[in-house]
Each structure stands twice: as C-alpha cells, then as structure tokens.
Amino acid sequence: MSIRKLQGSSTEKSLSEQEQLAKINDVRKILGPVADKLPVLCSDASISRYLRARNWNTKKAAKMLKNTVKWRLEFKPEKIRWEDIANEAETGKVYRANYLDKKGRTVLIFRPGFQNTSDIRGQIRHLVYCMENATTTLNPDQDQMVWLIDFQGWTMSCISVKAARETAHILQNHYPERLGVGILYNPPKVFESFWTLVKPFIEPKTYKKVRFVYSNGPQSQKLMEELFDMDKLDCAFGGRNSAGFNHEAYAQWMREDDKKKFDMMNSGLSSPPPSIMSESQSSETLTPSGISVASDEDDSSSGDEKTLNLENIDEKTQGLPLSCEDVAVSEGVDVVKELKKGELA
C-alpha cells in the first residue's frame, strides 16, 4: 500500500511523502537484519502504521514493532484455528460481517452483551483470531476496518477490568492504526456517563473516530446510510438485512478462510498477502466491552537503537508468517530465550 498523505492536526505531525519514507527507512535501520528477514511485518505500509501510532517517533515506533515480533513469537496468533476458539464464538459476541462498508473496509461486529465465558485467555485468543482474520481479508487498498458495537443486552456487569486491560494492551500495541471508524450503537445512558469520565484519557484522533449512533436519531440514520449499503447492513444496526448471526454458517466460512491461509503458509510462497502476517488495533483502541483506551504515547523508551537480536532466523522464514514453528527448530529455541531475557525491551 502506498504511503498516505497526512492532514495536519494538533496531535499528529504533517509529513511529506519523502519525509515519511525517510522515517520508515530510519526504523528499518534500527531494526537491522531482521527487517530483511521479515519483509511483511517490516514493509513500508506496516512500519508506517507503527510510526503513525507513535506520532512518527522512529525510536518509539521501532521499539513497538520489536515488541510485536516478540509477542508474535510467543503468542503465535497466526496459528490459531477456528476449532481453537469455536466455543468462544458460539454466541457471535465478535464476528466478521459478510459485507463491507461503502469504502470497501472490513466490518467487525462486537456484541459485548453476548459474553458466554469467563475464561479470559480464551476470550483473548478469540479476539486475536478475529483480528487476524479481519486483517488477512482486508482489501489491498485498505489497511483499516470498521467496528460496529451493538449494546443489546449490555450492562456494567459485562465489563471485566482484567479482560479489558489485556484487550487494550494487545490491540493498541500489536494492531496499530487498524481502526477506521467505531460505531457505538444504542449505548445505554450509564455508558454515556462512563464515556464522559474517560474522555480526557483518550487520544483526540481516536475520539474523533468514534460515533454514538441511536436507532431513533435522524442524524444517526444519515450517518449509517453514508457508511453502509442498508440492504446489506444487519437490521440490528438499522439495516434491512434480517439474516443475523448463524453460528454454523459462520463456522464453515471461517474454516474455509483457515484452509486458504494455512495452504498458503504451507506452500512456501515468498510473497503472501501483507495481512497474512498482520501486526495486530492500535494506539487508538476500543475494547470489545466498548471502552476506549488511549495509547501510551508517553512511552519512556530509552531509544536504544541496537539491532534486533533475531539474526538466527532461518532464511526459509522470509516472507512467511512469523511464529516459532517457522523458525529452524534449534535456532528458534534460542530466539525465544533471547526474547524472554528482555533484549527487546
């Protein structure tokens, strides 16, 4: 994807395309040899997202990207299959819509009132699976998605502080700049009060992407019509599509997506789609419970520019999704040990 031209704002630097490319190359130099060994994660478009998330601070962006490498080695998000999270997905609390918005962006639907488990680790794996699937299926000319958050059945008791914190950490640190617009649909009054309290802690650019939408509001209806084809949009969001979430049909769809992804991974293709190794949202983050969380822009990175200690990744990993199983076994163990020693901190 080409480097996007930025509009100036009080919270984000305005850089020319040449200046952006220079910043991207600076990050690549900080990363060292790993940038060549992991061309997907270290592509111009990917590095650009990390830079935007850190307001074009090269040292902070490089540290953020290094930490994503470490996280992906340990968590192995690209290895999660439908069968691993099927029980979490039964109620459709998070799922990818079978339609796009009018700009061609992938749509993720969140229904926090449909929470069906208390296993936080399982909930996080489900969320990561959905993010991986969504980024993998983004159109080539898109790097952001739309979030539709349905508050049907939601109460304050649906909020797990621990789960929300872990969700925010993963999304804001490993999926930067993935949010295009977030729609909070029919949030209850109690949530509006909560939102007012947390507003001072939310990045202005993130806040501007969030919209409160009400089914009985003319302006809300106009907004939804501008964003979506109403014949395709779920009736739960004011559209005319009454199909709703069908677990069995969705399961089959996800299994097919999994097969395509793993067939590509196993084929050894040197140039998979960029999002196959997606860096999972962002310095601007809405958790599935509807809470927006600001990025840690005050990250006190030491700015250490020593190269990332992953030189012993085998050449066969080039262009493939990053996971421990893609690294030569004996060398992969050493990589994990180095990461755990905190050399990427």
Side-chain angles (χ1 to χ4, degrees):
M1 184 177 294
S2 61
I3 305 301
R4 51 168 70 178
K5 295 182 179 180
L6 298 178
Q7 299 298 319
S9 73
S10 60
T11 59
E12 187 172 40
K13 294 180 180 179
S14 178
L15 302 178
S16 68
E17 186 170 338
Q18 290 71 26
E19 289 172 323
Q20 292 180 45
L21 286 171
K23 292 279 189 180
I24 289 170
N25 288 328
D26 287 344
V27 170
R28 200 171 271 120
K29 289 177 183 177
I30 295 174
L31 295 175
V34 73
D36 296 324
K37 293 181 180 294
L38 304 173
V40 179
L41 188 60
C42 299
S43 67
D44 285 4
S46 174
I47 294 175
S48 175
R49 283 193 293 275
Y50 284 83
L51 280 164
R52 299 199 313 265
R54 289 296 176 261
N55 202 23
W56 297 91
N57 182 306
T58 55
K59 294 180 180 179
K60 289 184 177 182
K63 178 180 179 181
M64 187 183 189
L65 206 157
K66 290 177 182 181
N67 286 333
T68 291
V69 172
K70 176 181 177 181
W71 175 75
R72 295 191 73 89
L73 277 167
E74 296 175 345
F75 198 89
K76 305 180 185 178
E78 71 285 339
K79 296 297 183 182
I80 304 174
R81 295 176 179 266
W82 170 260
E83 285 72 17
D84 300 326
I85 53 84
N87 65 313
E88 291 285 345
E90 287 180 354
T91 60
K93 60 189 176 188
V94 185
Y95 66 96
R96 185 177 122 227
N98 61 356
Y99 53 85
L100 307 175
D101 80 338
K102 287 185 177 180
K103 292 184 178 181
R105 295 177 293 193
T106 294
V107 177
L108 268 186
I109 294 176
F110 294 82
R111 303 192 299 177
F114 286 68
Q115 182 58 262
N116 61 326
T117 73
S118 57
D119 177 10
I120 294 178
R121 175 171 172 75
Q123 293 170 16
I124 295 299
R125 280 173 63 80
H126 176 223
L127 173 69
V128 169
Y129 174 84
C130 292
M131 287 299 299
E132 291 288 306
N133 178 267
T135 53
T136 297
T137 55
L138 283 169
N139 282 332
D141 61 340
Q142 294 290 345
D143 64 355
Q144 294 184 323
M145 63 188 75
V146 176
W147 285 24
L148 285 176
I149 303 175
D150 180 7
F151 281 86
Q152 179 185 350
W154 184 89
T155 65
M156 287 294 287
S157 64
C158 294
I159 296 177
S160 165
V161 175
K162 184 176 181 180
R165 185 184 299 117
E166 180 66 14
T167 296
H169 173 77
I170 288 175
L171 296 181
Q172 72 181 5
N173 289 305
H174 305 311
Y175 294 90
E177 293 295 318
R178 287 301 193 185
L179 178 64
V181 61
I183 301 295
L184 307 181
Y185 196 80
N186 282 339
K189 290 293 182 182
V190 65
F191 181 82
E192 293 180 37
S193 300
F194 177 79
W195 181 261
T196 301
L197 291 175
V198 301
K199 179 181 176 181
F201 305 100
I202 302 170
E203 259 192 281
K205 66 176 182 179
T206 301
Y207 189 83
K208 291 177 181 178
K209 292 184 178 183
V210 178
R211 300 287 185 272
F212 279 71
V213 174
Y214 300 92
S215 55
N216 59 352
Q219 287 302 113
S220 293
Q221 180 71 13
K222 181 180 179 181
L223 172 64
M224 297 302 276
E225 290 175 352
E226 290 174 351
L227 286 172
F228 301 100
D229 180 336
M230 301 306 283
D231 288 329
K232 296 179 180 179
L233 182 67
D234 301 65
C235 58
F237 298 102
R240 291 185 284 272
N241 180 359
S242 60
F245 177 76
N246 183 305
H247 181 259
E248 292 185 4
Y250 188 74
Q252 182 59 34
W253 188 25
M254 292 300 101
R255 290 190 185 100
E256 291 172 359
D257 277 359
D258 285 354
K259 186 177 186 305
K260 292 175 185 176
K261 181 177 75 171
F262 283 94
D263 283 351
M264 183 169 290
M265 288 168 59
N266 294 330
S267 71
L269 292 178
S270 60
S271 300
S275 53
I276 284 291
M277 188 177 140
S278 56
E279 328 60 59
S280 323
Q281 193 138 340
S282 125
S283 63
E284 42 190 63
T285 300
L286 285 172
T287 72
S289 57
I291 304 174
S292 181
V293 184
S295 70
D296 56 344
E297 284 295 331
D298 60 346
D299 179 7
S300 57
S301 169
S302 63
D304 189 334
E305 296 190 17
K306 63 182 179 181
T307 59
L308 186 59
N309 193 5
L310 293 176
E311 294 185 34
N312 52 354
I313 294 181
D314 192 270
E315 289 184 1
K316 71 180 181 179
T317 65
Q318 295 188 31
L320 294 178
L322 176 60
S323 80
C324 292
E325 293 181 27
D326 293 322
V327 180
V329 176
S330 59
E331 296 175 335
V333 173
D334 293 336
V335 170
V336 174
K337 287 181 179 179
E338 291 167 359
L339 291 170
K340 289 185 176 179
K341 285 190 292 187
E343 295 189 9
L344 299 185

